[in-house]
Amino acid sequence: TPPEARQPMADPITFTLRFSAGDPPLAAMAVASLATYYRKALSGPELKAGLNLKVIPGDSTRLETSPRGFSPMSITGSLAIARCIAKVSDARNKSAIGGGKDLVCACEIEMAIQYAETISAHTGNAKTILTALNAHFEHRSVMCGSAQLTLGDCTVWEALMRNPVLSKVLKSSGCAKTYPHLARWWSYVYQTPQFTQAKVAFEKASSKPALKSDTKEPKKKKGESHASFDIPLPGAVMGKVVTRFPPEPSGYLHIGHAKAVLLNDFFAKHWKGKCLLRFDDTNPEKESQEFVDNIMGDLKTLGIKHEPPTTTSDHFETILAYADKFIDEGLAYVDDTPVEEMRAQRMDGIESDSRKLPVAEHKRRWGEMKKGSEYGLKCVLRAKIGMQHPNKCMRDPAIYRCKSQPHHKTGTKYKVYPTYDFACPIVDSVEGVTHALRTVEYKDRDQQYRWFIEKLKLRPVNIWSYSRLNMRYTVMSKRKLKQFVEWGRVDGWNDPRFPTVQGVLRRGLTVDSLREFILRIGASQAENMMSWDKCWAINKQNIDPVAHRFLAVSKEANVPFKITNFTDPRPDSVAGCTEKKVRLHPKYEEIGFKQTLVGETLYLEQEDATLLKEGDEFTVMRLGNAIVTKIERDGDGKALSMEGKLHLTGNFKKTKYKLSWIANPSDAKQGGIVDVVAVEFDALITKPKLDDGDVWTDFLTPKTRFETHLLGEEALRGVKENQIIQLERRGFFRVDKNVTGPDGKQVITMFNIPTGKAKSMSSVSTKVAIKQ
């Protein structure tokens, strides 16, 4: 077709890459992630015509295409899949993963693919291959072309990863010394976020046997422990598994709920079934539409694809009918015993006087409860199981209670509401759930769940238990979190100090990092107390290669450093130049550049300046070296002002201090300095784990928010809200607000992102000692 006759590519193409957990296609997965990365850079018409990619576990490795814009087909083989994605991404996402329009790069990629085959087949001395690769990377940062990671990098990386002899050398401590150029490339690729999913999948596959895609899962060896969701699911049949995530809309989702929904989602996808979303709206006192809407938003953020949501209240009439049936059959009775007395009777195994009353009296009382009368509000409907049962959860549990508050969905239609323990097995069975995944805290109530199913003659449901996620120095109870909100100790449910999904994301945790953390935790039944440092360490690996770098110094404690040779010619000085083009990331040129303003006077951190002596040579970060010629100090020895000269030809590797700085606004061009508020957070409680009997309010941290006012460089003006950046030597930050007030003054508020280390900030002093 001649170019002028072709139709514009108006519709996106959607590819789904399904990979075998036992043998993940590393190159194909990496290429897919790179394609997604470039897809995000598109806008306007190009975005509409781009390539959409989904990478999910499957029973085998294959690439499936959507009917729209492409004939439906399925491609197998890691290299064939990688080539296909690269070609389509180059055409649709304007990438150059397959070489793009650069024919030389395309030829180099083909040579790299052939060389990858040589690496895969190599069984001799590692030195031959590694020396050749080291020489190749001596004057280039990537395998093919000049700047961008391509299909060539992906195939060679996969070949090295799969060769046990070569990968062992590359991961050894001596590699950087023997093969420095290859080690630089290996480290770059290994830490690039687009390779993370493939890397994690490969590590998981290397540590255990692959899953089989039939009706039986492989048995775990005796003593074997996996931090994975790839574990047996009793009674599972391929294509027929139905799980459910039943949140109560009484608060926002927290990281524990994230584990639950990801677990349900994983099993549904692995067994080619479906995951239901059902809101357990059985308590009108705690629930609201606000919580429903936010839970739906959080699930979308987490990338959870579920069936159309239902609610327990959709089944209220059905559940009421079963309650009526229980009363008629003598399996339930209405009790008006005061709450505290009833609780004591259950503990001691004492029957209530109401238990022996005739069915007619219980039906009368039940009618009062349904009307919401004054007497009915004092009653509960209890299942008649056995008050001497060794499992206290079976001692005539309450199954209905009377509430006068309007329901957020049904209004005032009902005055009685089922308990979760009674409604859950009924709705699970009615909605077709095959596997009810519950935390081990419900273990004692599993017997009750089965009793209801049996007595109501409902379809049985498999129960599978997993451990609840507990985090150190963290309150997970929604009731307690709600009190923090009501007391005004936090800004709301999305406060960065909260373990809610919105809270941790606002703190600076990425969705990919959250998912990876939970996948690494696994789904075992063993109780565990996790440290946040593991989660933040994963996050750092993902944000470090992409976070733009900026400079800032303290607003209250900085020292002017006057450059006496500012106008001197290059190469020792800058010849009076007030701008310098600087990489946004020191390692990766392809991320882009910023214009850093330079002036005759620079501001340094006072704590840095105090360490210097006259005659010292130090490095002015991203500019070059300088020599101190004069320091004025106060009576305590703190530096007040400094003078010196630039020595840009000096060797930065030999200087002890590499210091952050900004230019004096009067010397710089328009705009100048930006006001920055850097916020650090402490844990809300002072005890790692609250024990039974602890009064939790005795362990509240008095102050948990700390602000440091900074002066930022001009380049910071363009940062976007929700962008993750690094203030060099201060740490990583998520931009929360970038606003300009009525007076025209711009203020950027950003939250410090922990990195898994004990110290919040990297070099400059911090106001918070991180609890781990």
Side-chain angles (χ1 to χ4, degrees):
T1 305
E4 62 273 11
R6 293 175 185 165
Q7 293 297 316
M9 295 183 293
D11 295 326
I13 299 174
T14 299
F15 282 1
T16 300
L17 172 55
R18 304 185 188 277
F19 66 91
S20 166
D23 187 24
L26 305 188
M29 293 173 72
V31 169
S33 294
L34 287 171
T36 301
Y37 174 80
Y38 288 107
R39 159 78 168 163
K40 292 177 180 177
L42 299 178
S43 60
E46 292 180 340
L47 176 64
K48 296 179 181 179
L51 166 64
N52 292 324
L53 269 161
K54 301 175 183 177
V55 181
I56 58 177
D59 57 310
S60 62
T61 294
R62 63 189 184 278
L63 182 69
E64 300 169 348
T65 66
S66 67
R68 294 188 66 186
F70 232 85
S71 298
M73 63 179 180
S74 180
I75 301 173
T76 58
S78 178
L79 182 56
I81 292 171
R83 285 181 187 273
C84 177
I85 295 174
K87 288 180 181 294
V88 178
S89 177
D90 286 0
R92 291 294 184 102
N93 291 357
K94 308 301 180 185
S95 68
I97 301 171
K101 297 179 180 179
D102 188 339
L103 296 181
V104 174
C105 181
C107 291
E108 288 182 339
I109 290 173
E110 290 303 315
M111 293 173 63
I113 291 172
Q114 290 184 14
Y115 194 61
E117 295 175 358
T118 302
I119 295 172
S120 298
H122 185 78
T123 57
N125 194 321
K127 186 175 181 180
T128 306
I129 294 288
L130 300 182
T131 301
L133 285 171
N134 189 62
H136 177 79
F137 288 114
E138 183 174 2
H139 300 295
R140 55 169 71 205
S141 58
V142 290
M143 193 72 202
C144 310
S146 59
Q148 179 180 313
L149 290 168
T150 65
L151 173 60
D153 294 275
C154 298
T155 53
V156 170
W157 176 72
E158 175 172 12
L160 290 169
M161 286 283 284
R162 292 188 181 279
N163 189 306
V165 176
L166 299 178
S167 62
K168 183 178 180 180
V169 176
L170 286 166
K171 294 175 183 178
S172 67
S173 58
C175 178
K177 185 176 181 180
T178 310
Y179 309 105
H181 311 301
L182 173 58
R184 169 175 41 80
W185 172 84
W186 176 262
S187 177
Y188 167 38
V189 172
Y190 209 76
Q191 295 179 20
T192 299
Q194 285 73 42
F195 287 74
T196 297
Q197 186 180 19
K199 181 178 66 177
V200 171
F202 181 72
E203 290 171 350
K204 287 168 61 178
S206 301
S207 63
K208 61 184 184 298
L211 294 180
K212 298 178 181 178
S213 58
D214 53 19
T215 59
K216 293 183 180 181
E217 290 283 13
K219 293 183 179 180
K220 192 165 58 175
K221 295 179 181 179
K222 188 175 182 179
E224 187 176 21
S225 177
H226 302 328
S228 167
F229 283 0
D230 296 350
I231 51 182
L233 188 63
V237 177
M238 189 61 70
K240 297 184 178 181
V241 168
V242 180
T243 63
R244 89 291 195 260
F245 176 58
E248 180 186 13
S250 59
Y252 287 30
L253 293 188
H254 58 54
I255 192 169
H257 299 122
K259 176 182 177 179
V261 70
L262 287 171
L263 179 62
N264 279 277
D265 181 64
F266 173 85
F267 279 127
K269 288 178 178 176
H270 178 73
W271 290 96
K272 293 182 170 31
K274 57 185 178 180
C275 176
L276 308 181
L277 170 63
R278 179 175 72 240
F279 287 98
D280 174 48
D281 55 346
T282 56
N283 190 347
E285 291 178 349
K286 299 180 179 179
E287 299 151 3
S288 73
Q289 189 61 39
E290 173 200 353
F291 297 136
V292 172
D293 295 340
N294 277 278
I295 290 171
M296 292 289 289
D298 289 342
L299 294 176
K300 183 177 180 181
T301 298
L302 291 172
I304 302 298
K305 303 294 183 182
H306 51 76
E307 298 295 305
T310 63
T311 63
T312 300
S313 58
D314 294 338
H315 303 276
F316 273 177
E317 288 298 324
T318 300
I319 302 170
L320 271 172
Y322 281 123
D324 291 338
K325 176 181 171 68
F326 262 14
I327 295 173
D328 290 340
E329 295 178 357
L331 293 175
Y333 62 97
V334 177
D335 194 355
D336 61 359
T337 304
V339 174
E340 292 302 322
E341 183 180 346
M342 187 186 302
R343 185 175 291 122
Q345 287 178 346
R346 290 194 71 201
M347 289 297 295
D348 298 334
I350 300 173
E351 292 185 359
S352 164
D353 293 337
S354 299
R355 200 176 196 274
K356 300 174 183 178
L357 296 174
V359 169
E361 172 60 15
H362 293 309
K363 294 179 76 170
R364 185 193 70 78
R365 293 183 175 188
W366 180 230
E368 292 295 315
M369 288 182 66
K370 287 182 176 179
K371 289 188 294 184
S373 67
E374 183 178 352
Y375 175 73
L377 287 168
K378 299 176 182 178
C379 300
V380 294
L381 181 66
R382 299 176 66 180
K384 188 182 289 186
I385 301 177
M387 286 301 291
Q388 285 77 44
H389 200 288
N391 180 352
K392 292 181 180 179
C393 291
M394 297 291 284
R395 294 182 180 180
D396 292 8
I399 59 175
Y400 257 94
R401 66 274 204 224
C402 191
K403 302 280 185 182
S404 59
Q405 292 86 352
H407 189 277
H408 73 94
K409 183 178 179 182
T410 61
T412 57
K413 181 177 180 180
Y414 301 99
K415 301 298 182 182
V416 289
Y417 296 92
T419 61
Y420 174 81
D421 288 334
F422 183 58
C424 188
I426 294 173
V427 182
D428 280 349
S429 184
V430 169
E431 290 191 338
V433 173
T434 62
H435 290 79
L437 278 53
R438 293 151 65 98
T439 55
V440 291
E441 64 187 297
Y442 284 95
K443 202 73 174 176
D444 288 343
R445 290 192 274 180
D446 289 349
Q447 190 175 2
Q448 185 187 108
Y449 183 105
R450 294 187 178 97
W451 188 88
F452 289 134
I453 290 283
E454 178 188 346
K455 295 302 180 182
L456 293 172
K457 297 179 175 58
L458 295 170
R459 178 188 58 82
V461 178
N462 291 289
I463 299 175
W464 190 87
S465 300
Y466 64 95
S467 64
R468 177 178 177 174
L469 177 58
N470 298 301
M471 304 296 294
R472 289 165 60 86
Y473 295 102
T474 305
V475 171
M476 301 287 268
S477 161
K478 284 192 288 185
R479 177 181 61 82
K480 294 172 183 175
L481 292 175
K482 185 177 181 181
Q483 286 181 278
F484 274 112
V485 175
E486 293 173 344
W487 294 339
R489 295 183 71 92
V490 294
D491 297 332
W493 285 91
N494 67 342
D495 190 280
R497 290 161 286 193
F498 261 18
T500 56
V501 170
Q502 293 184 35
V504 295
L505 296 183
R506 192 175 173 208
R507 183 77 175 267
L509 187 69
T510 67
V511 173
D512 288 343
S513 300
L514 176 58
R515 291 178 66 95
E516 186 177 341
F517 171 65
I518 290 173
L519 286 170
R520 287 192 187 185
I521 292 172
S524 73
Q525 297 181 2
E527 285 291 335
N528 50 24
M529 176 66 69
M530 299 299 298
S531 296
W532 280 103
D533 60 327
K534 291 179 174 60
C535 181
W536 293 117
I538 292 170
N539 192 60
K540 180 180 182 294
Q541 291 178 348
N542 290 333
I543 66 177
D544 185 32
V546 295
H548 295 183
R549 268 56 171 177
F550 297 96
L551 295 167
V553 298
S554 171
K555 187 173 185 178
E556 292 88 5
N558 60 74
V559 174
F561 177 68
K562 184 176 181 181
I563 302 172
T564 56
N565 67 335
F566 182 70
T567 57
D568 284 5
R570 301 176 189 276
D572 264 351
S573 190
V574 294
C577 181
T578 57
E579 281 189 345
K580 179 177 172 60
K581 186 179 180 181
V582 178
R583 289 182 181 183
L584 283 167
H585 196 295
K587 292 182 180 179
Y588 312 127
E589 181 180 342
E590 61 269 24
I591 287 180
F593 294 85
K594 64 179 179 179
Q595 290 294 334
T596 292
L597 303 183
V598 185
E600 188 173 0
T601 300
L602 309 181
Y603 286 125
L604 306 179
E605 296 281 357
Q606 186 175 59
E607 61 183 277
D608 291 337
T610 300
L611 298 173
L612 297 171
K613 305 185 299 294
E614 292 181 4
D616 279 354
E617 183 168 355
F618 68 97
T619 298
V620 183
M621 295 183 69
R622 314 303 169 208
L623 183 60
N625 286 5
I627 299 173
V628 180
T629 57
K630 182 180 178 181
I631 302 179
E632 181 185 346
R633 302 180 187 273
D634 64 12
D636 296 326
K638 290 184 179 180
L640 299 177
S641 65
M642 301 170 59
E643 289 185 7
K645 58 182 182 179
L646 292 177
H647 183 217
L648 301 187
T649 55
N651 188 347
F652 71 90
K653 294 182 179 180
K654 294 184 178 181
T655 59
K656 181 178 180 180
Y657 300 112
K658 278 76 175 173
L659 305 184
S660 46
W661 58 281
I662 60 168
N664 186 328
S666 62
D667 298 332
K669 289 188 175 181
Q670 59 183 3
I673 290 174
V674 182
D675 280 324
V676 174
V677 181
V679 185
E680 299 171 80
F681 298 102
D682 199 357
L684 290 170
I685 58 175
T686 59
K687 190 174 182 181
K689 180 180 182 297
L690 295 175
D691 298 317
D692 292 339
D694 281 344
V695 179
W696 72 281
T697 52
D698 292 342
F699 300 96
L700 300 180
T701 308
K703 183 177 181 181
T704 56
R705 180 184 172 112
F706 302 84
E707 294 184 356
T708 300
H709 291 262
L710 306 173
L711 302 176
E713 64 170 308
E714 163 71 15
L716 270 167
R717 288 191 184 280
V719 297
K720 307 296 184 183
E721 291 184 4
N722 205 41
Q723 182 178 347
I724 291 177
I725 65 169
Q726 185 188 74
L727 295 182
E728 303 217 53
R729 300 181 62 242
R730 285 190 172 270
F732 293 97
F733 290 83
R734 177 196 157 272
V735 179
D736 192 60
K737 294 180 182 178
N738 186 348
V739 297
T740 301
D743 57 356
K745 188 175 182 181
Q746 185 175 3
V747 179
I748 302 173
T749 302
M750 54 183 68
F751 297 156
N752 178 251
I753 304 173
T755 60
K757 296 181 179 179
K759 188 177 180 183
S760 174
M761 297 190 181
S762 49
S763 296
V764 184
S765 61
T766 174
K767 294 181 178 179
V768 180
I770 297 297
K771 296 183 178 72
Q772 297 186 318

